[in-house]
Amino acid sequence: NYGLSGRTLMDSADVPYTKEEMYPETLACEADVYIVMLGTNDAKYFNWNAENYESDLTDFLQKYIEIAGADGVYVIQPLKCFVVEGKTEVGHAIKNENVIEACEIIARVAQKLQVNVIDLYTFAEDHPEWLPDGIHPNAEGNREIANYIYSHLDLS
């Protein structure tokens, strides 16, 4: 598990995953399956750039395709971000409109590269109770999301 919270896909954003010490390890481990979920933190109003996101996503996924093949790469469309009661916008500077655009870009890039897509946005869009702060899943949300992702993996 090489997941890190709060990271971005885009190298031009505030905390790029590719700048992390463990990033080269993800390539060197030569896994059979890679599950990629980056986009929510890219959707912060001060980070978002659709053109950069699409370009960086393409480059990022191609590195894993070279290792595991297109069938071994799963890219996840991020969760819908909710405005919680008493607030007027999503927290942490995230714009759900940008999350939606990221989901569209993910679908387009995944189709072009022929990698697997797992759509968490649609899966969880009717479950704000899973994200009490509008962004981060609680225990129930994590369990449901993990089961959903697992059900979409072809591990044969």
Side-chain angles (χ1 to χ4, degrees):
N1 179 1
Y2 291 101
L4 291 170
S5 297
R7 300 313 186 269
T8 61
L9 174 79
M10 292 186 292
D11 287 337
S12 61
D14 60 342
V15 191
Y17 186 82
T18 58
K19 305 297 184 210
E20 294 296 332
E21 191 174 303
M22 70 171 52
Y23 171 66
E25 293 177 36
T26 70
L27 302 169
C29 77
E30 298 184 3
D32 295 327
V33 173
Y34 288 94
I35 301 170
V36 176
M37 183 178 169
L38 291 164
T40 304
N41 289 294
D42 294 276
K44 293 176 180 177
Y45 73 87
F46 54 83
N47 281 337
W48 186 244
N49 180 305
E51 186 176 311
N52 287 354
Y53 187 80
E54 186 159 351
S55 174
D56 287 0
L57 178 63
T58 300
D59 293 345
F60 191 84
L61 293 177
Q62 284 177 326
K63 288 179 175 64
Y64 294 112
I65 291 168
E66 289 173 16
I67 298 166
D71 287 345
V73 177
Y74 293 80
V75 61
I76 298 179
Q77 292 169 308
L79 295 162
K80 176 180 181 176
C81 296
F82 297 92
V83 177
V84 296
E85 190 174 330
K87 301 287 183 179
T88 58
E89 56 188 38
V90 175
H92 302 278
I94 294 169
K95 299 290 183 191
N96 193 62
E97 302 81 36
N98 297 341
V99 172
I100 292 168
E101 191 172 9
C103 289
E104 293 166 357
I105 291 168
I106 290 168
R108 186 169 52 248
V109 169
Q111 183 176 20
K112 179 176 73 175
L113 299 178
Q114 298 181 323
V115 299
N116 305 287
V117 177
I118 300 174
D119 179 3
L120 283 188
Y121 191 97
T122 303
F123 172 68
E125 71 181 332
D126 294 328
H127 295 284
E129 73 278 8
W130 293 348
L131 298 108
D133 70 350
I135 299 165
H136 302 96
N138 59 17
E140 178 187 11
N142 278 322
R143 186 173 41 259
E144 294 295 330
I145 290 163
N147 288 335
Y148 185 76
I149 291 170
Y150 183 76
S151 76
H152 283 77
L153 300 177
D154 180 6
L155 301 175
S156 55

Short mmCIF file of all heavy atoms in Angstrom, two decimals, residues 89-111:
data_model
loop_
_atom_site.label_atom_id
_atom_site.label_comp_id
_atom_site.label_asym_id
_atom_site.label_seq_id
_atom_site.Cartn_x
_atom_site.Cartn_y
_atom_site.Cartn_z
N GLU A 89 -20.15 25.75 1.31
CA GLU A 89 -19.33 25.14 0.28
C GLU A 89 -18.58 23.94 0.85
O GLU A 89 -18.51 23.76 2.07
CB GLU A 89 -18.34 26.14 -0.32
CG GLU A 89 -17.44 26.81 0.68
CD GLU A 89 -16.62 27.94 0.08
OE1 GLU A 89 -17.13 28.68 -0.77
OE2 GLU A 89 -15.45 28.06 0.49
N VAL A 90 -18.04 23.11 -0.04
CA VAL A 90 -17.24 21.95 0.36
C VAL A 90 -16.01 22.46 1.10
O VAL A 90 -15.46 23.51 0.77
CB VAL A 90 -16.83 21.13 -0.89
CG1 VAL A 90 -15.90 19.99 -0.51
CG2 VAL A 90 -18.06 20.60 -1.62
N GLY A 91 -15.54 21.71 2.06
CA GLY A 91 -14.38 22.12 2.84
C GLY A 91 -13.05 21.90 2.13
O GLY A 91 -12.99 21.36 1.03
N HIS A 92 -12.00 22.34 2.78
CA HIS A 92 -10.62 22.13 2.33
C HIS A 92 -10.34 22.72 0.94
O HIS A 92 -9.46 22.22 0.23
CB HIS A 92 -10.25 20.64 2.35
CG HIS A 92 -10.39 20.02 3.70
ND1 HIS A 92 -9.42 20.12 4.67
CD2 HIS A 92 -11.40 19.30 4.24
CE1 HIS A 92 -9.82 19.47 5.75
NE2 HIS A 92 -11.02 18.97 5.52
N ALA A 93 -11.09 23.75 0.55
CA ALA A 93 -10.88 24.45 -0.73
C ALA A 93 -11.19 23.59 -1.96
O ALA A 93 -10.84 23.95 -3.08
CB ALA A 93 -9.47 25.03 -0.82
N ILE A 94 -11.85 22.45 -1.76
CA ILE A 94 -12.18 21.55 -2.87
C ILE A 94 -13.47 22.01 -3.53
O ILE A 94 -14.44 22.36 -2.85
CB ILE A 94 -12.30 20.10 -2.37
CG1 ILE A 94 -10.92 19.62 -1.89
CG2 ILE A 94 -12.85 19.18 -3.45
CD1 ILE A 94 -10.94 18.32 -1.13
N LYS A 95 -13.48 22.00 -4.82
CA LYS A 95 -14.67 22.35 -5.62
C LYS A 95 -15.21 21.08 -6.27
O LYS A 95 -14.51 20.46 -7.07
CB LYS A 95 -14.32 23.38 -6.70
CG LYS A 95 -13.80 24.70 -6.16
CD LYS A 95 -14.91 25.44 -5.47
CE LYS A 95 -14.46 26.79 -4.98
NZ LYS A 95 -15.43 27.39 -4.10
N ASN A 96 -16.43 20.70 -5.92
CA ASN A 96 -16.99 19.48 -6.49
C ASN A 96 -17.12 19.59 -8.02
O ASN A 96 -17.03 18.58 -8.71
CB ASN A 96 -18.34 19.13 -5.86
CG ASN A 96 -18.76 17.72 -6.22
OD1 ASN A 96 -18.07 16.76 -5.87
ND2 ASN A 96 -19.83 17.58 -6.95
N GLU A 97 -17.28 20.80 -8.54
CA GLU A 97 -17.33 20.96 -10.00
C GLU A 97 -16.03 20.46 -10.63
O GLU A 97 -16.03 19.89 -11.72
CB GLU A 97 -17.55 22.43 -10.39
CG GLU A 97 -18.80 23.07 -9.84
CD GLU A 97 -18.65 23.54 -8.38
OE1 GLU A 97 -17.56 24.02 -7.97
OE2 GLU A 97 -19.63 23.41 -7.63
N ASN A 98 -14.92 20.69 -9.95
CA ASN A 98 -13.63 20.22 -10.44
C ASN A 98 -13.51 18.70 -10.30
O ASN A 98 -12.90 18.05 -11.14
CB ASN A 98 -12.49 20.91 -9.71
CG ASN A 98 -12.46 22.41 -9.95
OD1 ASN A 98 -13.05 22.91 -10.91
ND2 ASN A 98 -11.79 23.14 -9.07
N VAL A 99 -14.10 18.14 -9.24
CA VAL A 99 -14.12 16.69 -9.08
C VAL A 99 -14.88 16.06 -10.25
O VAL A 99 -14.44 15.06 -10.82
CB VAL A 99 -14.74 16.27 -7.73
CG1 VAL A 99 -14.92 14.76 -7.65
CG2 VAL A 99 -13.88 16.77 -6.57
N ILE A 100 -16.02 16.66 -10.60
CA ILE A 100 -16.80 16.15 -11.74
C ILE A 100 -15.96 16.19 -13.01
O ILE A 100 -15.93 15.22 -13.78
CB ILE A 100 -18.10 16.96 -11.91
CG1 ILE A 100 -19.03 16.70 -10.72
CG2 ILE A 100 -18.78 16.64 -13.23
CD1 ILE A 100 -20.22 17.64 -10.64
N GLU A 101 -15.26 17.30 -13.23
CA GLU A 101 -14.42 17.40 -14.42
C GLU A 101 -13.28 16.38 -14.37
O GLU A 101 -12.92 15.77 -15.39
CB GLU A 101 -13.86 18.82 -14.57
CG GLU A 101 -13.21 19.06 -15.92
CD GLU A 101 -12.84 20.51 -16.15
OE1 GLU A 101 -12.92 21.34 -15.22
OE2 GLU A 101 -12.46 20.81 -17.29
N ALA A 102 -12.72 16.14 -13.20
CA ALA A 102 -11.68 15.13 -13.05
C ALA A 102 -12.22 13.75 -13.42
O ALA A 102 -11.55 12.97 -14.11
CB ALA A 102 -11.13 15.12 -11.62
N CYS A 103 -13.45 13.45 -13.00
CA CYS A 103 -14.08 12.17 -13.34
C CYS A 103 -14.23 12.02 -14.85
O CYS A 103 -13.99 10.93 -15.40
CB CYS A 103 -15.43 12.03 -12.65
SG CYS A 103 -15.34 11.78 -10.87
N GLU A 104 -14.61 13.08 -15.51
CA GLU A 104 -14.75 13.05 -16.98
C GLU A 104 -13.39 12.82 -17.64
O GLU A 104 -13.28 12.05 -18.60
CB GLU A 104 -15.37 14.35 -17.47
CG GLU A 104 -16.81 14.54 -17.03
CD GLU A 104 -17.34 15.96 -17.22
OE1 GLU A 104 -16.58 16.86 -17.64
OE2 GLU A 104 -18.54 16.16 -16.93
N ILE A 105 -12.37 13.47 -17.14
CA ILE A 105 -11.02 13.31 -17.68
C ILE A 105 -10.54 11.88 -17.44
O ILE A 105 -9.97 11.25 -18.34
CB ILE A 105 -10.06 14.35 -17.07
CG1 ILE A 105 -10.43 15.74 -17.58
CG2 ILE A 105 -8.61 14.00 -17.39
CD1 ILE A 105 -9.74 16.89 -16.84
N ILE A 106 -10.77 11.37 -16.25
CA ILE A 106 -10.37 10.00 -15.94
C ILE A 106 -11.02 9.02 -16.91
O ILE A 106 -10.36 8.12 -17.45
CB ILE A 106 -10.70 9.64 -14.48
CG1 ILE A 106 -9.77 10.41 -13.54
CG2 ILE A 106 -10.61 8.14 -14.23
CD1 ILE A 106 -10.18 10.39 -12.07
N ALA A 107 -12.31 9.19 -17.16
CA ALA A 107 -13.00 8.29 -18.08
C ALA A 107 -12.40 8.37 -19.48
O ALA A 107 -12.18 7.34 -20.14
CB ALA A 107 -14.49 8.63 -18.13
N ARG A 108 -12.11 9.56 -19.92
CA ARG A 108 -11.55 9.76 -21.27
C ARG A 108 -10.14 9.16 -21.39
O ARG A 108 -9.84 8.43 -22.34
CB ARG A 108 -11.53 11.26 -21.58
CG ARG A 108 -11.12 11.60 -22.98
CD ARG A 108 -11.37 13.06 -23.35
NE ARG A 108 -10.82 14.04 -22.42
CZ ARG A 108 -11.56 14.84 -21.65
NH1 ARG A 108 -12.89 14.78 -21.67
NH2 ARG A 108 -10.99 15.72 -20.85
N VAL A 109 -9.30 9.42 -20.41
CA VAL A 109 -7.93 8.91 -20.44
C VAL A 109 -7.94 7.39 -20.30
O VAL A 109 -7.20 6.69 -21.01
CB VAL A 109 -7.07 9.57 -19.34
CG1 VAL A 109 -5.73 8.87 -19.18
CG2 VAL A 109 -6.88 11.05 -19.65
N ALA A 110 -8.77 6.87 -19.42
CA ALA A 110 -8.86 5.42 -19.23
C ALA A 110 -9.29 4.72 -20.52
O ALA A 110 -8.74 3.67 -20.87
CB ALA A 110 -9.83 5.08 -18.11
N GLN A 111 -10.24 5.31 -21.21
CA GLN A 111 -10.68 4.72 -22.48
C GLN A 111 -9.54 4.74 -23.50
O GLN A 111 -9.29 3.75 -24.19
CB GLN A 111 -11.90 5.45 -23.03
CG GLN A 111 -12.44 4.83 -24.30
CD GLN A 111 -13.71 5.51 -24.77
OE1 GLN A 111 -14.01 6.63 -24.40
NE2 GLN A 111 -14.46 4.82 -25.60
#
